[in-house]
Structure formats: C-alpha cells, structure tokens
C-alpha cells in the first residue's frame, strides 16, 4: 500500500481515540502514519497518497477550528491522484439537524480539488434529521457517535478498515 497518513488533532479526545483504533485495526503490516492536524502544512498533506482524515463536527454543523484554519491552504492544493477517506465524530441525539456535517464539508472540499473519496458507509443504524455527510443514500465517510452509540463503534471501525484495505493501494 502507498504511504498512508491518518490526520487528526492529537489534542481531541474522541477523534484521537478513534484514530488509535483505526490504526490498530489496520494492524502492524500496514504503516499508517499519524499526523497532527493542528500542525499541518501543504507539503505534509501532499506527501501522502492515501489520506485518512479525522473530522469531528463542532459549532452546530461546522469544522473544528484546527481544520477550518487549514481550509485556505487546502483550497489551493491540487489533490488529483489522492485517495481520501474521512471519519468523523458526532452526536445524533443532541445535534440531529447537523449530524456529522463536518464529514460532508470536508468531503466536498477535497473532491472539488480532484481527490477520490473512499470509505462511504451505510446509513443503517443511525437516527437523525439531516446531515451534510449524507449523499445519494450513503454517508460520505465513517460516522462515529461515541456519546449515544459507543458500543457500535468497534464494529463500524472494523468494517470500514476492511473496506479501506481493499480500496487503498
Ligand atoms: C459545542 C459543540 C457543538 C457540537 N456540534 C455538533 C454538531 O453540529 N453535529 C454533531 O454531529 N455533533 C456535534 N457535537 C458533538 C461532537 O462532535 C462530539 O462531542 C464529538 O465526540 C467530539 O469529538 P472530539 O472530542 O474528538 O472533538 C458538538 C459538540 C460540542 C461540544
């Protein structure tokens, strides 16, 4: 598999825990390199062929600050040839109108710049009103809700990583 990075805030709580579980699920045969999304540069971002982005939703349907600060740089990048998969933490009970929106925001940003998106998932098992992460009957990435469905995360991560192992090369 090409060089693969997993980008998330090392200071986040649930997103960082999920990143550790994703890396564990890939196993030792895969060299998945953790990158702190709070210290991102364009060079670092472009140095990977496969990218996994950890993007929790904050502020009623927005990106957290550290991702938002990288958006102007991201908007100038050519991401053709990049394979990108996005996972995001959210809370479907407290924020049913914006569940996991940040996953959709990031998916749109990277696809507009030529990246190919991987790791879309089924809507089954979630309950919410609207989500920017939803498109054509699927989520654009992996949605994890550690606050209201913590027991479902393990299997969701396992299924997602199993898909990515087939899709990334
Ligand atoms: C102020 C605030 C706003 C939030 N807004 C949303 C939201 O719009 N949609 C959503 O799905 N979750 C929302 N959440 C829930 C977070 O995404 C959830 O707590 C997540 O686990 C945070 O992950 P992190 O601790 O790794 O950043 C919000 C949480 C807080 C504290």
């Amino acid at each position: 598999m090409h060089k693969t990075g997993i980008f998330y805030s090392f200071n986040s709580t649930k997103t960082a825990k999920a990143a550790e579980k994703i890396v564990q699920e890939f196993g030792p045969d895969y060299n998945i390199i953790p990158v702190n999304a709070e210290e991102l540069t364009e060079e670092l971002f472009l140095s990977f062929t496969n990218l996994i982005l950890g993007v929790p939703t904050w502020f009623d349907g927005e990106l957290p600050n550290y991702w938002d600060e990288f958006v102007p740089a991201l908007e100038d990048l050519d991401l053709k040839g990049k394979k990108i998969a996005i996972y995001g933490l959210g809370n479907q009970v407290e924020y049913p109108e914006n569940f996991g929106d940040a996953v959709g925001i990031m998916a749109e940003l990277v696809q507009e710049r030529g990246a190919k998106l991987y790791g879309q998932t089924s809507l089954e098992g979630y309950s919410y009103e609207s989500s920017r992460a939803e498109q054509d009957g699927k989520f654009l990435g992996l949605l994890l809700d550690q606050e209201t469905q913590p027991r479902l995360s393990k299997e969701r991560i396992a299924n997602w990583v199993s898909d990515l192992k087939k899709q990334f090369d």
Side-chain angles (χ1 to χ4, degrees):
M1 201 163 85
H2 281 107
K3 198 174 163 194
T4 301
I6 182 162
F7 298 73
Y8 59 96
S9 159
F10 288 9
N11 293 315
S12 63
T13 50
K14 298 186 168 101
T15 305
K17 271 249 156 58
E20 285 160 23
K21 289 190 182 129
I22 289 167
V23 172
Q24 246 173 42
E25 193 63 41
F26 268 99
D29 291 347
Y30 292 80
N31 184 22
I32 315 287
I33 300 163
V35 180
N36 191 352
E38 300 200 31
E39 291 169 11
L40 259 188
T41 61
E42 291 94 317
E43 289 79 9
L44 196 51
F45 200 81
L46 290 175
S47 69
F48 292 86
T49 304
N50 301 323
L51 299 92
I52 299 170
L53 311 181
V55 187
T57 302
W58 277 85
F59 313 122
D60 297 342
E62 303 289 340
L63 296 172
N65 289 338
Y66 50 92
W67 274 119
D68 208 36
E69 281 161 17
F70 188 61
V71 167
L74 191 58
E75 284 176 334
D76 283 339
L77 298 181
D78 177 2
L79 299 179
K80 264 187 233 93
K82 303 291 181 196
K83 292 187 165 190
I84 297 188
I86 304 171
Y87 75 93
L89 278 286
N91 181 324
Q92 64 206 289
V93 173
E94 278 189 46
Y95 304 92
E97 290 171 5
N98 303 93
F99 178 50
D101 276 5
V103 168
I105 295 170
M106 187 57 85
E108 190 177 315
L109 276 166
V110 298
Q111 282 181 298
E112 278 173 1
R113 267 130 212 111
K116 207 155 172 351
L117 200 66
Y118 291 84
Q120 287 87 345
T121 59
S122 166
L123 307 178
E124 216 172 293
Y126 299 86
S127 176
Y128 57 91
E129 284 163 36
S130 67
S131 170
R132 284 182 69 175
E134 183 185 332
Q135 196 180 79
D136 302 329
K138 290 221 150 205
F139 283 128
L140 293 161
L142 170 66
L143 278 267
L144 298 172
D145 185 338
Q146 279 304 108
E147 283 148 23
T148 77
Q149 295 184 327
R151 279 188 301 274
L152 300 182
S153 295
K154 193 168 188 277
E155 192 184 349
R156 285 172 174 164
I157 288 173
N159 292 337
W160 194 62
V161 169
S162 158
D163 286 347
L164 292 185
K165 282 179 177 174
K166 291 176 217 141
Q167 294 165 351
F168 280 176
D169 52 26

